Structures are given as structure tokens and as C-alpha cells.
Amino acid sequence: MLFARLGSAVARRAWLVVILAAIAFAGAGAIGADVANSLSSGGFSAPGAESTVAREVIEDRFGADAPNLVLLARPDPGTTDAATTVDVTTIRDAGLALTDRLAAEEGVADVISYWSLGGAPPLAADDRRSALVLASINGSDTAVNDRVGELIERYTGTTGDGLEVAVGGQAAVFHEVGETIESDLRTAELIALPLTLLLLLWVFRSVVAALLPVLIGGFAIVGTFVVLELLASVTEVSIFALNLTTALGLGLAIDYSLFVVTRYREERSGGLETRPALLRTVMTAGRAVAISGITVAASLAALLIFPLSFLRSFAYAGIPVVLLAVTGAVVVLPAILMVLGHRIDAGRIGRRRDPAEAAARAGRTWARLATAVMRRPLPIATVVVLVLLALGTPFLNINLGTPDDRVLSVDAASRQVSDALRSDYSSNEAQATTVVFTAESALDTDLATSAADTAAVLSTLASVSRVDSDSGVWLDGTQVLPAAPGDRRFAADDVEWLSVVPAVEPISADGEQLVADIREVATTAAGATVLVGGPSAELVDTKAALQARVPLALAIIASVIFVLLFLTFGSLLVPLKALVLNALSLTATLGAMVWVFQDGNLSGILGFTPTGMLDATTPILMFCIAFGLSMDYEVFLLSRIKEEYDRTGDNSASVVAGMARTGRVITAAALIISVVFLAFATSSVAFMTLFGLGLALAVLMDATVVRGLLVPSFMVMAGDANWWAPRWMRRIYHAVGMSDAAAEAAADSMVVDLSDAVGQAAPSDPSDQSASPPVGAGTP
């Protein structure tokens, strides 16, 4: 009776609800408008991991970590000839001036260059046509991101004394990734909103009805901005959470509003007045929306168990945006419908159609499909399952990594610097692995010997270009350069560290093996605790931290959703079937994403650089979101099937009726939310393309292949066993479950009472009888 009381309260106080919602919307917009300034640009490291601790020790004791800023300087082609090298006197003087200028910048430390080190060969290109200036920017991830943006603007271009400078390095790469995503997000919104409105106009054939889901989306989005603003004051929240807020807020609000408005128009076309139609809508479609929202929120809540604040931030954004979308669709939207009455169909597009004929035409195709599938359920299910398993096969070879400059397009400025380092330089100076030595006790004072011995051994590894240390530069087991007098960049009283310059790509399988080799060698260091950090070590530690939590996340999602579906439908088989089918379709989606983005198929068409890896966080994020959305449509379809089954007791007829009444609206909802995700796939950042394309494919596959073919096949093969549960589970269901039959009976009873009251009251406004018929089929 919860939804009966809710619907009745909303109908009685519709204007109050609308006014309060408008005030809340305006207040949230004012409070959350600057939320981006409160969010973090970091959150990609696992707290407590060895590589994280190594970085923290270096930053704490030395004021800076390994270089995260690179200036690539070459003779200015506008003032020098093509044969000019970085060793020419005028270029050398300009290089020294550039080094001094950068060293004087606030927040910049450990500035070295080819010229300041007296012509150190590793810092010059093999053809001597360019050279490097390396530095570290101090501070938090957000502070580094802000500072590097200023430095990029200040140093990019010509110096005026013979040099042309490009800015790169890890800090510049992540800054450009953030700036690109922010720009792409605005573009995605400009693409998604018009297309979404056009699709809504196609579904509703009414301007007013089409605008309502967008309004609910705005309500959910700005409300979530306030939540993120509050959370950011107590914990780290990634700025990338705004992407999910916009995509999921708009998509789910439209989905939920689509189901509610369609059901309301269906009830109105069936002869009910506004108030009883609204009540029945809240008690049926509203109930299904609420249950669906809980399943999506439960899937997103699993992200909270991962140690990376980047992933947890998507739960911080996703849970409130889902709950606010549900609130908007179940409370605010019905109040607006009550206020609008027949004006819901204002701005009609196209000709008026007979309600019965419109409903029959909309459901006829889906009814025929369901009937055809149910005639041959086993062969159809077998073929579809085999196809999905085949699509999922590449997933068995998934190789997870962390993002680097190659997620950017080849014409991105920081990407071009990194590509130049790969092609023109013999070693990757900007992505060195760090090895930190700390004394195990106050009596262990010979750290210098342990560090020097380890440096000598590490320099013999085939994957190591050289090792820089407090004792000097080591190459092939030999000290080739002594430490510069007074240079204490690598040593403090009880801490020393090494910079191991790799001869392999840091973010790769070779980089992971390098970390394993370094850690094995480090175990032999006497009298010291050794920590290994740097990009390659962060890759290894991040993968380990995420993979350790994946089984728990899967268990949480499966358990919570099983319980929710059981309490909703009172069946043992229905939740198990839903979990298996969703896992099957998502495996196929992830397999397709591995084939495309990891293996590089279609990279030319989609415009990304394959690295042989997928960003480790993206499949996890995709799984949690897509699993929740898949259950979203499962709940809508099964709610209508169960409604028919409770009324007729005929399993096969109920499946046909459920698909006929929900097929069009589920397909429309999936199409609309896919448009939103595909708009994000237009990003020039590879993992955003993966995210958008993968989720769009998952949603469309689930709404068509799974709902259209597999669900009716398995439902007809199971027969009445679909709704069976052991006696002890039935007792639980009857005690605390959310019975469809009870909700339907309550809705019928209250609707009859309200209809009788309306019939005995004064005649209603004649204009209210002109409510237009629905264009689409019904909804749960």
C-alpha cells in the first residue's frame, strides 16, 4: 500500500509538490553550479599500495617525485636552418636560459636539462635535433593539474632566443585528458539532447509530453551536483564523476519518465479520469520504477568496495542520480501530470489515432515475435547463447592496464611529445621506475652501500637503460658518471632512492615484468626496507588491488539483486535466470570491447591507438552500470508479465501480453539511453569511446536479443515453474515481499473507489475528456 498512499498524497498536493520541486531545482542549481571546482583530478592510485607509499616517501622527504613535466625543446625552424643541433652555442645558451626560467617557477622542483648536465646524452635525441628539460611539479593531484595548465600556456611555443618548446610528461598528459573530456562532454550534450528530444517526440507525438522526461533528467542531475559538493568536503571525489552524472541522470530519468508517462496515457485512454489514472500509474509503473532504481543503485554500490577513489566516485555520483531520477519519476512527474491533466498532449505532432488501434498496432510486432520464439524455444535459445558465447570469447584474453598518453588522439600536444620520446630517444626519461630505500632501524646507517649495490645490479637488466642514484649514473653494472658535487636529489639522512630509466614501454607487459625483476633484486638489499614505485609499478599494484576486489563486487551485486528480484516476484527461477542471462550478454559485450579496443580491430575507423590493454577501471565500471541497466529492463518486462500471470494464470499468454505491452517502450527507452551513451563515445579520449560504445552495445543487446529472444524462450520452457519457490522462501515472500498481485488488487480497488467518487461528484471539465490516446504500447 506504500505506492497507493504515495500516489494519493501526490494527487492531493500536486501543486505543492511541483512548487517544492521547482524550488529544490533552483536551489540545487545555485549550490552545485561550481561543483567541478571542488572535485579532484586524481584518485587513480591504490592507497597503501607499495608504489603509492614509495611516491609519498619521496614527496615527503625530497619535496618532489620523479619528473612529471617534460619540455621538448628544438631549434626554432623559423630562425634556424634544418641542420642546427642542440649543441650549437646559441641553442645551448637558450637551453640553459629555459632551464633557469623553469627552475624559478613556483611549485616546480628538481629541474634538469641536457644543457644543465653538461650535455648528458640520454636527454638529447639520437639525431641531436631536440633535447629535454625535466622537472617535478609539487602538490596534490588537483594542484599539479592546475599548475601544469598554467605552465603549458606559458611555455608552449617559441622562446624568442632560438628554441621552439612543446610541453609533455605525465602531468601534461593527464591535464590534456581532463580538458579534452570536459570539451567532449559539452559536445556530447549538444549531440544527445536534440536527438533525445526528437526520439521523445517520435514516441509521444506531443511537445509537452516529450519535454517532461528531460525536465526530470535536469532535476536528477542538478540534485546530484549538490550531493557531490557535500561529499567533496569530506572525501576525495573525482571530477570524472560528472560524466556519469550527466549520462546516467539524463538516460535513466528519460527511461523512468517514459514508462510512467506511457502508462498514465494508457490508463487515461482506457477511460479513467486524471486522478484514478494517476493513482494506478504510481501503484504499477511507479512501483516498477522504484524497484528498478534500487537494482541499478545496488549494482553501482559495489564500486564502493574498490580502493581507488576514482571508481568510488562513480558510486558517489551514480547512487544519488539514480535515486533522484526515481524520485522525479515517481513523485515529481505524477504531480506535474496531475497539474497538466489533458494538457499533457499539448503541442500534438501528427494526426489523432484511435487508442485501441494505436495500442494494438504498437504491440502487434512484439506479440508476433514472442509467439514465434515460443514455438521453437530450445533451438532459438541454443543459437543465441552460442552466438553470445562466441562474442564473449575474446574476453578470456583480456589484459588490463592503466591509461597513458596513448588514450589521446595523435594530434594532441602532450601525446606528440610522448611519441617523440618513443621514436627519437633511446630511453624513456619521463617514466622512470623509482626504488626507495628506508632504514629498518636507527642503527642501519649504510643505506648508501645498499642503494649503490642495488643500482649496479639493476643496471645490468636488459629492460633497464640506466640507473641514476646518489652514487652516480650506472650502466651495465658500471658507474659511468660520479654524482655531481652537492647533488642530494637522491639521498637524505635515512632515505635514498634510485631512478631506474626503462628501456621498454612502461605501460605494457614488459613494464610489468620490469617491476617484478626490480622487486626480486630489491629483496637482497641489506639493512633497508625497499619500495618500488613509478608508472610501471603503479600499473602492477593497481591491477592487483582491483582484481582482489572483483570477486567480492560480483558476489555483492548477484546477492543483492537476487534478493530484490525474489522479494519482487516471489520466484526462485526468475532471479537466477535474470542473473545468468545478464552475465551472458555482458560477457559478449566485454568480449566485443576486447576485440575492438585491446586487439585494435576498427581502430582506424574509431580513431584510437591500440595498446594491447584495456584501462583496468573501465570494464569494472561498465559491468556495474550495464548490469544495473539490464536489470532495469528485466524488472519492467517481468512486472508486466507477472501482472498478466496473476490475472490469468496462463504463463504463455502472459509472456506474449507482457512483451506486447512493453516491447515498444523498452526498445524506445533503450534506444534513447543508447543515444546518450553513443554521444559520449564521440570523445577523442580512447577510454571514453570504450565506455560510451560499450554501454550502448550492452543496452541495445539486452533490450533486443536478450529481452526479445532469450527471455521468452526460457520463460516458455520453464512454464509455471517460473513462479515457483520452496515453501520456506514463499513464507519469506509473503511476509516481507512486494507482491504484484497485492499491488494490482489494491490499485483496482482504489481506482474503483475514486472512479465512483468522480462519477458521483460534479461533472468534470469537458476539456479533460479530450486527453489524447497513447501512441505507444503500455508499460509496467
Side-chain angles (χ1 to χ4, degrees):
M1 296 297 290
L2 171 63
F3 290 94
R5 290 193 293 269
L6 176 62
S8 180
V10 169
R12 287 196 309 271
R13 299 176 177 84
W15 271 109
L16 178 61
V17 172
V18 171
I19 292 171
L20 291 177
I23 293 173
F25 179 86
I31 296 171
D34 295 326
V35 63
N37 296 329
S38 303
L39 305 185
S40 167
S41 301
F44 299 97
S45 300
E50 181 179 334
S51 56
T52 304
V53 175
R55 185 183 69 246
E56 291 170 348
V57 169
I58 296 175
E59 290 176 348
D60 179 60
R61 299 305 304 274
F62 298 93
D65 193 6
N68 58 6
L69 179 68
V70 177
L71 302 186
L72 179 68
R74 56 171 57 93
D76 182 1
T79 59
T80 61
D81 60 51
T84 304
T85 69
V86 294
D87 296 314
V88 173
T89 300
T90 55
I91 300 302
R92 184 190 64 214
D93 293 342
L96 289 171
L98 176 64
T99 306
D100 293 340
R101 178 184 166 198
L102 183 61
E105 294 281 358
E106 182 180 355
V108 179
D110 291 347
V111 180
I112 59 172
S113 71
Y114 170 73
W115 303 281
S116 68
L117 294 181
L123 297 184
D126 296 338
D127 61 3
R128 293 296 191 272
R129 299 294 175 83
S130 66
L132 305 179
V133 181
L134 305 180
S136 296
I137 304 175
N138 303 327
S140 65
D141 290 330
T142 301
V144 170
N145 187 67
D146 293 341
R147 189 72 178 106
V148 77
E150 298 169 354
L151 295 174
I152 289 172
E153 184 175 352
R154 190 172 302 165
Y155 284 87
T156 299
T158 57
T159 61
D161 56 0
L163 286 179
E164 182 182 61
V165 179
V167 182
Q170 188 178 42
V173 166
F174 278 96
H175 176 81
E176 191 162 7
V177 168
E179 291 288 305
T180 304
I181 289 177
E182 184 178 350
S183 174
D184 291 344
L185 179 59
R186 290 192 293 268
T187 303
E189 291 169 347
L190 292 175
I191 295 172
L193 280 174
L195 289 177
T196 296
L197 281 172
L198 287 174
L199 288 170
L200 288 171
L201 286 171
W202 170 71
V203 173
F204 288 125
R205 304 298 174 90
S206 161
V207 174
V208 172
L211 287 174
L212 293 181
V214 179
L215 291 177
I216 299 303
F219 173 82
I221 291 169
V222 298
T224 303
F225 286 169
V226 174
V227 175
L228 294 178
E229 184 78 56
L230 295 174
L231 287 172
S233 65
V234 295
T235 188
E236 184 178 20
V237 181
S238 172
I239 195 168
F240 295 106
L242 295 180
N243 299 339
L244 182 67
T245 300
T246 302
L248 207 57
L250 184 61
L252 281 182
I254 288 174
D255 270 14
Y256 295 157
S257 300
L258 183 62
F259 285 101
V260 170
V261 172
T262 306
R263 182 64 184 247
Y264 170 76
R265 298 176 89 196
E266 178 187 344
E267 299 298 341
R268 291 281 284 130
S269 71
L272 292 180
E273 299 290 339
T274 298
R275 188 183 294 266
L278 187 69
L279 179 61
R280 187 175 180 84
T281 296
V282 172
M283 295 177 68
T284 53
R287 172 182 173 275
V289 165
I291 295 169
S292 171
I294 294 172
T295 61
V296 178
S299 292
L300 291 170
L303 294 170
L304 293 172
I305 71 168
F306 291 98
L308 274 66
S309 61
F310 171 76
L311 275 181
R312 291 201 306 271
S313 296
F314 286 94
Y316 298 152
I319 294 173
V321 83
V322 170
L323 298 181
L324 285 168
V326 170
T327 302
V330 178
V331 178
V332 180
L333 180 57
I336 297 175
L337 294 175
M338 186 68 192
V339 169
L340 288 175
H342 71 283
R343 292 183 296 275
I344 180 68
D345 293 305
R348 168 164 292 281
I349 297 174
R351 63 182 180 86
R352 184 184 298 276
R353 290 184 284 183
D354 177 70
E357 177 60 26
R361 184 164 52 249
R364 195 173 294 134
T365 300
W366 288 97
R368 283 200 299 265
L369 175 62
T371 302
V373 170
M374 291 165 66
R375 289 196 188 102
R376 300 175 180 82
L378 184 58
I380 290 175
T382 301
V383 171
V384 173
V385 168
L386 289 176
V387 170
L388 293 178
L389 288 174
L391 288 174
T393 301
F395 182 64
L396 298 174
N397 298 317
I398 189 170
N399 184 25
L400 300 177
T402 53
D404 61 8
D405 61 281
R406 290 170 292 177
V407 303
L408 292 166
S409 63
V410 292
D411 57 352
S414 59
R415 165 71 187 272
Q416 291 180 341
V417 171
S418 297
D419 284 342
L421 293 179
R422 290 188 184 93
S423 61
D424 300 340
Y425 290 75
S426 58
S427 59
N428 197 327
E429 301 295 322
Q431 298 198 65
T433 299
T434 58
V435 184
V436 181
F437 298 80
T438 59
E440 293 180 346
S441 70
L443 299 178
D444 296 323
T445 58
D446 201 13
L447 284 179
T449 301
S450 293
D453 290 346
T454 304
V457 176
L458 292 178
S459 68
T460 64
L461 297 177
S463 53
V464 172
S465 175
R466 72 173 194 283
V467 179
D468 297 335
S469 70
D470 186 59
S471 59
V473 177
W474 295 82
L475 186 65
D476 295 329
T478 303
Q479 184 187 35
V480 295
L481 287 174
D487 182 4
R488 299 295 291 169
R489 286 181 298 135
F490 297 100
D493 291 339
D494 57 353
V495 178
E496 288 210 17
W497 68 284
L498 311 176
S499 175
V500 182
V501 180
V504 296
E505 181 65 44
I507 307 301
S508 66
D510 290 337
E512 292 182 76
Q513 184 58 50
L514 170 62
V515 172
D517 294 340
I518 292 175
R519 285 176 171 167
E520 182 178 357
V521 171
T523 59
T524 63
T529 298
V530 182
L531 303 169
V532 179
S536 298
E538 289 177 2
L539 166 63
V540 172
D541 293 345
T542 298
K543 288 176 63 173
L546 294 177
Q547 290 170 350
R549 302 293 179 92
V550 166
L552 178 58
L554 295 177
I556 290 173
I557 293 174
S559 300
V560 172
I561 289 181
F562 177 87
V563 171
L564 283 171
L565 293 183
F566 169 73
L567 293 179
T568 302
F569 301 111
S571 163
L572 175 64
L573 187 60
V574 164
L576 290 175
K577 173 188 66 65
L579 290 170
V580 171
L581 293 186
N582 284 1
L584 183 63
S585 68
L586 285 177
T587 300
T589 299
L590 291 173
M593 294 303 97
V594 169
W595 185 79
V596 173
F597 289 92
Q598 178 178 300
D599 299 344
N601 297 288
L602 306 182
S603 60
I605 297 174
L606 295 176
F608 67 91
T609 302
T611 64
M613 291 182 167
L614 292 183
D615 171 40
T617 59
T618 303
I620 294 172
L621 184 60
M622 281 177 54
F623 182 88
C624 292
I625 296 173
F627 204 90
L629 292 177
S630 298
M631 286 299 172
D632 191 41
Y633 300 131
E634 184 85 11
V635 169
F636 289 132
L637 174 58
L638 291 177
S639 292
R640 200 60 188 253
I641 292 175
K642 185 65 160 56
E643 185 179 323
E644 295 294 327
Y645 183 79
D646 288 336
R647 187 174 61 85
T648 65
D650 186 330
N651 180 72
S652 297
S654 299
V655 173
V656 174
M659 287 191 62
R661 289 185 174 272
T662 63
R664 174 184 169 90
V665 73
I666 286 179
T667 303
L671 183 60
I672 290 171
I673 200 170
S674 295
V675 165
V676 175
F677 288 136
L678 285 173
F680 285 84
T682 61
S683 173
S684 56
V685 177
F687 61 76
M688 286 298 296
T689 305
L690 165 62
F691 176 79
L693 187 61
L695 285 179
L697 178 61
V699 168
L700 291 174
M701 185 181 298
D702 185 82
T704 54
V705 176
V706 174
R707 303 292 157 247
L709 301 176
L710 289 183
V711 169
S713 296
F714 282 99
M715 293 291 284
V716 73
M717 285 190 290
D720 291 337
N722 283 308
W723 314 111
W724 175 87
R727 186 174 301 172
W728 65 273
M729 293 182 71
R730 299 295 297 179
R731 287 196 295 268
I732 296 174
Y733 173 68
H734 290 309
V736 297
M738 298 171 283
S739 170
D740 280 298
E744 185 70 12
D748 289 338
S749 175
M750 295 192 71
V751 166
V752 169
D753 292 343
L754 279 173
S755 297
D756 290 343
V758 171
Q760 296 168 9
S764 59
D765 180 358
S767 66
D768 191 53
Q769 303 302 316
S770 65
S772 301
V775 173
T779 186

